[in-house]
Amino acid sequence: MSLLQLYFAEWRALLADKAIVVTLFGGVVFYSVLYPLPYLNQVPTEQTVVVVDHDNSSLSRKLIRHADASPKIQIVSHATNIDEAKHLIQQGHAHGLLVIPSGFRRNLMLGKGATLSYGGDASYFLIYSAVAEGLVEAGMDASKQVQLVGLLARGENPAMAQKSLSPVNLNAVPVFNPSLGYTPYVVPGLFLLILHQTLLIGTGILGAGQWRNKGYWLEVKPLKLLSVRLAMFTSLYLLFASFYIGYCFYAYQVSMLGSFIETVLLILPFLLATGAVGVALSCLFVRRDIPTQIYLLSSMPILFVAGFVWPTALIPEPLVVISQIIPAIPAMNAMLKLNQMGAGWSAILSHWIQLWGIFALACLLAWWGIKHRQSEAESINQ
Amino acid sequence: MSIIAYVKQEWAALWQSPWQVALVSYIPIVSILCLWWLFSAGLPKQLPVAVVDQDNSQISRMLTRQMTANSVISVESYADLTQAQDAMRQASVYAVVVIPHQFKQQLITGRSPTIDIRYNSQYLLVGKLLSSQIQMSLGAGLLKTAAQKLLLSGVNHASVAVNLSPVSSQTTALFNRNNNYVGFLVPPVLIALWQLLAMMIFTNALNRELITQQNQVLLPHDLWVRVLAKCMVFLPIMLLHSSFILVLLYQYLSLPHAGEVGVLVVSQAVMLLALWLLVTLIFLIMKEPARCVSFCTALFAPAFAFMGITFPINEMPTIAQYWRLVMPSSHYIDTHVNVISYGADPLEVIGQLVSYWMFLPLIPVVVVLWLKANKTPLSAENTNFSSRAIQQITEEDK
């Protein structure tokens, strides 16, 4: 069998297997829509807050109006006491709470100071942070206005008064994901993981279905089979990767700071290493329904150990060390640095070399595994 | 054959398949413990932040010390801004704070200098946390300087604090006081994992019933009894695992819980039945082991994203809110939050089970699919078939 014939035979074997076609083509397209679907609105806005106003003064009403004007908050109801507010939160009608104490305005005007209480439902962190940020902003605003009135009353000139209110400007700006959006946060890493997992499943099912049956895969040399199989999967996945990184990133407004050449240079060892790991592991399977299950179970741990959902510094060291043999881990980290944070090639060189290292090791194991499977099949046939 | 016999047969078949045994025994326990271990730090702390102090004055050093005192921040000093930028791009620091040249001079002479904070929002969770913590630490530091200034300008000591911030605020994280990530993220993650395991176990058990005769896929004529027997075998096993999750989180780690945890098991049982109804439907449509597993995987793998814990439900697009309802785990997690956070009583939990009504219309669909499917003739001895199936499995496993 020539290399080209073998290449096309591999394609035929792949396309003839409905389970692989469903997982690869179906899965890749389906997930590209389904996974980012919940996050399309990017940032939580207009979180529901219930107000307990014990003061009922002009200032407290102004404060409530200002809070309601914040894009993060929507005042949904007024409760007469905290118990009632608590009930509303438990019923799910509101996620936040603002309590204005009685005598709020009077105390402020007398220069005594007052305390506002904010509460947010911390069962949902994004809701909590939106509620807290919105209410703190509104509270600070009210505070500034009272201070300004006080200063002006004491005869300070308005320009000086403004300055002494904020002696230092804190200019906090988010970088790399300026909108603080959820899709640019999740999509870059997640999509690489989807490519990784489907590629592993594809190679796994293909291998599991073949080892016990007769076919060209038992006749060609292990090295030849391995290289042609890698070529086939890599050419298919270059297509998928182009769709994900070329089109989907663009559609989901994920930033792409790396150049085309750099991205391709990174994707290539990622696909090769993943393919090789897939072929190596496929030698362990003989039932076609097992690979999908094993790789599915591994998806969530791989996603969380990658370090962009939960910082690597807080993950136990042994887990981080073990995870380094998974091609998706260096690939996701390198991809984030290259494309989302605009780091140069030198920053991801270590990840790149690591990917090639995994590739070399996995090739060795895959070669040995195929050889083992072939000799096993031969001994059964004799 | 009585139902007891079917249950016994199912139990025996379970032990015939090493993969199924692994799925019901050590795989759940190992993965539950691993996922918990991953998040076990609970509270983010000592996250590296680059401080570029171009002023090197007494005030700028005081501000740096203020940040060092914050448990979330671990200050790394950089002399050069470009180096700090590079470190940021390589994700070795998560934020950069720049205290500008002549900061103190500007402050004393009554101009408003600007402290620049850049935080990495690609790591959304870390970035947001650091942004608020850095501002809090710097704010506290600057308050001291402002207080001195006020005292110097003749404000009496008693009114300094009020002058500085007339409105003080008290922010409370309801239901999860210290913003613990174990309490927030680990329960939904583990429930998602548990749902996947339950899905796989049931799919595998169903796939075992497929009989191939002369290139034709047949179903045993008593499939519905067998499905019932499977539920009776796997329901207690899966509930054992979910109870392990509950005991680990709310007894061993003693995470705060407002309501009675035990009542959640009822909700979990209903969730499992809804899930298995869906799986049976897919099985009757697919009738091929690998395809059935692939399809179920595609359906249930993203369940975590749709739970609405990490991203609020009311912010999801309408179509995502509908898709969410297809996942039994989303129905369960609502009950879970209600019990754990809001202390819902058992009666409310039972009331919430009504939300599973949308799975009921699946039952007639399943029945129709079952009636239309090719079945083995009634005369055939079912024990014969099942023993053949077991034989087939054991051969495959070898």
Side-chain angles (χ1 to χ4, degrees), chain A residues 23 31 41 45 113-114 116 118 120-123 147 154 169 171 173 175 177 184-185 212 290 293 309 340-341, chain B residues 19 89 113 115-117 119 121-123 125 163-164 166 168 170 172 174-175 204 294 298 315 341-342 398:
Chain A
T23 314
Y31 285 151
N41 290 343
T45 52
L116 287 175
Y118 318 125
D121 187 347
S123 314
Q147 271 179 308
R154 267 179 252 146
N169 299 319
N171 178 26
V173 179
V175 285
N177 175 11
Y185 160 59
R212 292 283 166 90
I290 301 280
Q293 302 183 25
V309 178
Q340 271 63 52
M341 304 188 216
Chain B
W19 173 241
R89 286 187 197 282
I115 296 180
D116 280 305
I117 302 166
Y119 57 95
S121 53
Q122 184 60 48
Y123 300 88
L125 183 163
N163 263 319
L164 283 175
S168 49
Q170 173 199 343
T172 317
L174 303 172
F175 314 124
N204 290 336
S294 290
E315 289 298 323
S341 297
Y342 313 147
K398 266 175 205 163

Side-chain angles (χ1 to χ4, degrees), chain A residues 32-51:
Chain A
S32 74
V33 179
L34 195 64
Y35 260 110
L37 187 62
Y39 311 129
L40 285 184
N41 290 343
Q42 309 283 5
V43 273
T45 52
E46 299 291 335
Q47 291 307 317
T48 47
V49 168
V50 50
V51 178

Side-chain angles (χ1 to χ4, degrees), chain B residues 41-356:
Chain B
L43 306 170
K45 48 185 178 278
Q46 297 293 313
L47 300 169
V49 170
V51 175
V52 184
D53 186 354
Q54 293 170 336
D55 189 41
N56 264 315
S57 63
Q58 176 213 358
I59 294 182
S60 72
R61 284 194 294 272
M62 182 269 292
L63 290 177
T64 312
R65 282 199 300 279
Q66 281 285 336
M67 282 189 278
T68 315
N70 190 322
S71 69
V72 177
I73 303 168
S74 153
V75 169
E76 290 183 12
S77 292
Y78 282 77
D80 187 20
L81 184 58
T82 47
Q83 279 177 5
Q85 279 172 344
D86 281 346
M88 181 98 155
R89 286 187 197 282
Q90 290 171 25
S92 48
V93 296
Y94 294 115
V96 175
V97 178
V98 183
I99 303 174
H101 180 54
Q102 297 210 318
F103 174 74
K104 187 184 176 192
Q105 198 222 22
Q106 289 191 8
L107 197 64
I108 291 174
T109 52
R111 281 171 285 168
S112 321
T114 302
I115 296 180
D116 280 305
I117 302 166
R118 296 288 179 276
Y119 57 95
N120 188 340
S121 53
Q122 184 60 48
Y123 300 88
L124 195 64
L125 183 163
V126 179
K128 276 183 126 172
L129 180 72
L130 277 178
S131 155
S132 67
Q133 293 295 326
I134 291 171
Q135 292 190 50
M136 207 171 82
S137 292
L138 290 178
L142 289 167
L143 223 53
K144 278 187 200 163
T145 349
Q148 279 175 352
K149 203 173 155 189
L150 279 175
L151 287 171
L152 283 172
S153 62
V155 177
N156 78 52
H157 190 265
S159 57
V160 164
V162 175
N163 263 319
L164 283 175
S165 54
V167 179
S168 49
S169 61
Q170 173 199 343
T171 312
T172 317
L174 303 172
F175 314 124
N176 184 0
R177 287 290 160 75
N178 58 354
N179 279 315
N180 188 343
Y181 274 85
V182 173
F184 158 65
L185 207 53
V186 174
V189 167
L190 292 186
I191 290 300
L193 178 85
W194 180 70
Q195 177 175 254
L196 290 181
L197 285 165
M199 178 273 284
M200 285 179 200
I201 290 169
F202 206 70
T203 315
N204 290 336
L206 282 174
N207 282 337
R208 206 170 49 75
E209 303 295 351
L210 286 172
I211 299 150
T212 317
Q213 263 185 351
Q214 293 126 25
N215 285 334
Q216 206 186 5
V217 179
L218 297 178
L219 295 172
H221 68 275
D222 52 356
L223 183 73
W224 69 273
V225 196
R226 287 164 187 262
V227 171
L228 217 62
K230 285 178 209 305
C231 289
M232 288 167 75
V233 170
F234 293 115
L235 197 66
I237 297 180
M238 288 323 290
L239 289 180
L240 211 62
H241 287 302
S242 64
S243 310
F244 171 67
I245 295 174
L246 294 177
V247 168
L248 173 75
L249 293 176
Y250 301 106
Q251 294 296 315
Y252 177 67
L253 297 174
S254 36
L255 291 176
H257 52 95
E260 202 53 56
V261 176
V263 73
L264 283 175
V265 178
V266 179
S267 183
Q268 284 165 347
V270 179
M271 171 193 154
L272 279 182
L273 293 178
L275 173 73
W276 288 344
L277 188 65
L278 264 176
V279 171
T280 313
L281 176 72
I282 294 164
F283 167 75
L284 285 174
I285 296 171
M286 293 292 170
K287 287 189 220 141
E288 201 271 332
R291 243 179 294 162
C292 187
V293 171
S294 290
F295 197 85
C296 287
T297 304
L299 203 60
F300 295 107
F304 177 70
F306 285 88
M307 278 188 184
I309 296 290
T310 48
F311 197 80
I313 303 158
N314 55 1
E315 289 298 323
M316 292 182 189
T318 321
I319 181 166
Q321 295 191 17
Y322 282 120
W323 182 260
R324 178 179 184 272
L325 296 178
V326 178
M327 305 285 122
S329 56
S330 324
H331 295 264
Y332 170 73
I333 205 73
D334 288 345
T335 315
H336 189 94
V337 171
N338 271 333
V339 170
I340 298 302
S341 297
Y342 313 147
D345 54 43
L347 220 62
E348 285 176 69
V349 173
I350 305 297
Q352 269 185 339
L353 296 182
V354 177
S355 79
Y356 289 95

